[in-house]
Amino acid sequence: MTETAEGTDWRAWQESWDRQQEWYMPDREERFRVMLDMVEAFTGPAPRVLDLACGTGSITKRLFDRFPDAVSTGVDLDPALLAIAEGYFAGDGRVTFVRADLTDPRWVEALPYDSYDAVLTATALHWLRVEPLAALYGQLGGLVREGGVLMNADHMRDEATPRINAAERAHRHAAMDRAREAGALDWAAWWDLAAKDPVLAAPTAERFAIYGEHAEGDTPSLDWHTRTLREAGFAEARAVWSSPSDALVLALK
């Protein structure tokens, strides 16, 4: 990468992040496709979206590719991933990025809108423990308009099926090992590259000061998510996509 933010290839960083995430989740694009199918079903082709824990803006990128008239607000605390998002979307008036801590009860005050057609998040909220996640769902219940949706795609394992879980994990990790041997970057290797980049080095150091090597959150079951979302004021909630280890839960206001 180059020495200045203006010359940094943000598209390359965005694509590199996508490839690193796909090492963990080869079905990542399928969950995004179903997510956007459901956005269209409930909100039409020009939604106002809250991209929650947005990272590099992976959801917003796919949102705009499919719905050019959509509007997005990306929220995250990670300064390095936000730097990539802001660089990638520089000059695009359809998106606003907000740096905020989702465990701070006042984070919603930083948003540019007081309601959204859809709140979308993927592979992010497992960084939270169940208590702050339940509190966050309560806040989101107040942000989604009537008839709007919240969708969370994340790890949602069923602890009642330990043998199935173990077999699935072993099979998945064997495939990951083969991909790494073929040159795929894992989480640690990707962050090592970011730490060496002249533009991303400082925000990367800051993000590790915030999170450490990896935050220790919870991965409650799908039943927990659907029950907690209903308690947060959503009328209906269920999975609209699932894999052996993950699920996409949709909650309808």
Side-chain angles (χ1 to χ4, degrees):
M1 296 297 175
T2 55
E3 294 291 336
T4 64
E6 290 77 10
T8 297
D9 189 344
W10 297 116
R11 181 176 298 276
W13 276 111
Q14 174 76 259
E15 292 175 354
S16 175
W17 175 261
D18 280 344
R19 301 295 83 76
Q20 179 257 125
Q21 289 287 284
E22 288 167 1
W23 181 72
Y24 295 93
M25 298 166 290
D27 51 19
R28 186 168 178 253
E29 290 301 327
E30 178 66 9
R31 71 188 70 192
F32 286 147
R33 182 191 66 78
V34 175
M35 181 181 281
L36 295 180
D37 281 351
M38 293 297 96
V39 168
E40 186 172 27
F42 285 97
T43 73
R48 177 191 294 170
V49 169
L50 177 60
D51 185 351
L52 194 69
C54 65
T56 64
S58 297
I59 291 175
T60 293
K61 177 183 182 298
R62 288 154 180 80
L63 177 76
F64 290 166
D65 286 347
R66 181 158 169 179
F67 307 120
D69 295 326
V71 172
S72 178
T73 303
V75 178
D76 209 300
L77 182 61
D78 189 313
L81 298 185
L82 277 177
I84 295 171
E86 290 168 346
Y88 182 85
F89 290 97
D92 192 331
R94 297 172 295 177
V95 60
T96 302
F97 290 103
V98 174
R99 185 175 176 187
D101 183 349
L102 297 179
T103 65
D104 181 346
R106 300 183 61 181
W107 73 271
V108 296
E109 298 174 12
L111 298 176
Y113 305 105
D114 58 10
S115 70
Y116 288 85
D117 300 314
V119 175
L120 308 178
T121 187
T123 327
L125 300 188
H126 64 272
W127 286 59
L128 299 178
R129 295 293 189 183
V130 290
E131 293 82 3
L133 179 53
L136 178 63
Y137 276 166
Q139 288 182 298
L140 296 173
L143 279 176
V144 177
R145 66 161 175 81
E146 290 296 319
V149 293
L150 179 154
M151 280 181 272
N152 178 16
D154 213 337
H155 312 315
M156 299 182 191
R157 297 181 183 87
D158 188 342
E159 297 305 323
T161 59
R163 290 190 297 164
I164 295 173
N165 298 348
E168 182 279 326
R169 186 180 188 279
H171 182 268
R172 175 164 42 89
H173 278 258
M176 291 166 66
D177 289 342
R178 291 192 297 271
R180 179 159 45 196
E181 290 171 1
L185 290 177
D186 64 11
W187 173 269
W190 191 91
W191 281 111
D192 284 345
L193 287 178
K196 294 172 184 175
D197 182 82
V199 174
L200 290 177
T204 296
E206 184 182 357
R207 72 87 54 202
F208 278 100
I210 295 169
Y211 295 109
E213 288 300 317
H214 201 287
E216 294 296 328
D218 292 323
T219 53
S221 68
L222 173 62
D223 287 344
W224 182 92
H225 284 276
T226 56
R227 181 179 70 254
T228 304
L229 285 162
R230 291 189 186 100
E231 292 170 354
F234 291 90
E236 300 176 16
R238 72 169 180 87
V240 292
W241 174 92
S242 65
S243 72
S245 62
D246 291 19
L248 169 59
V249 61
L250 182 152
L252 173 65
K253 190 68 182 294

